[in-house]
Amino acid sequence: MFAPPSPAEWEILALSLRVGLLAVALALPPALLAAHALARWSFPGKALFNGLVHLPLVLPPVVTGYLLLLAFGPQAPLGQALDAVGLPIAFRWTGAAVAAAVMAFPLMVRAMRLSIEAVDPRLEQAAATLGAGRPAVVLTVTLPLALPGVVAGAILGFAKALGEFGATITFVSNIPGETRTLPLAVYAFLQVPGGEGAATRMVVLAVVLSMGALLVSEWVAARAARRVAGA
């Protein structure tokens, strides 16, 4: 019989949601800037920049996690600087959010870039001819029209963050109550005798959350698209 999740398992779920939300908050501003740059700007090295943006998609997640450990680990200058100001991230839940943000970043950029590219440039040009500067054009024309893709990208990034495993376990390990998110919990439960029941409950929660995020993404994007079309 399928038993309900235990308090410890609910704690894992709460930690996963916290990590996913912080990951989206960290990735959203740079993802939006990168998407706009790739969709609208022309500059030397654009192809290289595009490759760097999408590098986490093709690198093994363990490699990404190791690179994060080299950059933010306790012995790294940047990691030591963060420790000095009270913001340690290596082997902390905040580090899990950083790893998830890095892995979700290219997916968010891709969705946002496609949405920005779908905005008619003539509308932006019209706003510019009326005296609006580039920041004003972006804020008043481009972003409102690209809103469905921005929302979809953010929710897609959240779903990706919930399922991140390789980079997270490499960067922040699998520490109960600190960095053990849903996928890490499934892995941990499967390593101990009799842990199949707990692993199954974690899998069900992960499937429900991920599917829910995708459905919400579709619903919010469709709603935003109707609002933009009716504006």
Side-chain angles (χ1 to χ4, degrees), residues 18-36:
R18 192 162 27 133
V19 166
L21 290 172
L22 180 57
V24 172
L26 291 173
L28 184 58
L32 192 54
L33 179 60
H36 188 267

Side-chain angles (χ1 to χ4, degrees), residues 32-79:
L32 192 54
L33 179 60
H36 188 267
L38 290 171
R40 288 290 188 259
W41 300 354
S42 295
F43 53 90
K46 183 176 180 179
L48 177 61
F49 176 69
N50 183 52
L52 291 173
V53 165
H54 292 90
L55 193 58
L57 281 180
V58 295
L59 275 179
V62 173
V63 173
T64 302
Y66 181 64
L67 292 174
L68 288 172
L69 190 59
L70 291 178
F72 297 102
Q75 305 305 318
L78 187 53

Side-chain angles (χ1 to χ4, degrees), residues 134-146:
R134 176 168 292 188
V137 171
V138 172
L139 291 175
T140 61
V141 178
T142 310
L143 282 184
L145 293 176

Side-chain angles (χ1 to χ4, degrees), residues 109-211:
V109 171
R110 187 168 183 81
M112 295 175 187
R113 177 184 179 179
L114 292 174
S115 186
I116 292 172
E117 287 177 340
V119 175
D120 190 344
R122 292 174 296 182
L123 297 175
E124 298 171 328
Q125 294 167 4
T129 59
L130 293 174
R134 176 168 292 188
V137 171
V138 172
L139 291 175
T140 61
V141 178
T142 310
L143 282 184
L145 293 176
L147 183 61
V150 174
V151 172
I155 299 178
L156 183 61
F158 176 73
K160 172 63 178 176
L162 287 178
E164 170 48 36
F165 176 82
T168 302
I169 197 170
T170 306
F171 180 38
V172 296
S173 190
N174 189 359
I175 305 172
E178 183 67 40
T179 65
R180 181 168 290 178
T181 55
L182 279 172
L184 273 65
V186 172
Y187 173 79
F189 287 137
L190 290 176
Q191 304 307 305
V192 298
E196 292 82 1
T200 300
R201 288 190 291 273
M202 293 292 95
V203 167
V204 171
L205 287 174
V207 170
V208 170
L209 278 175
S210 299
M211 182 59 70

Side-chain angles (χ1 to χ4, degrees), residues 93-106:
W93 77 271
T94 48
V98 170
V102 170
M103 297 302 295
F105 179 76

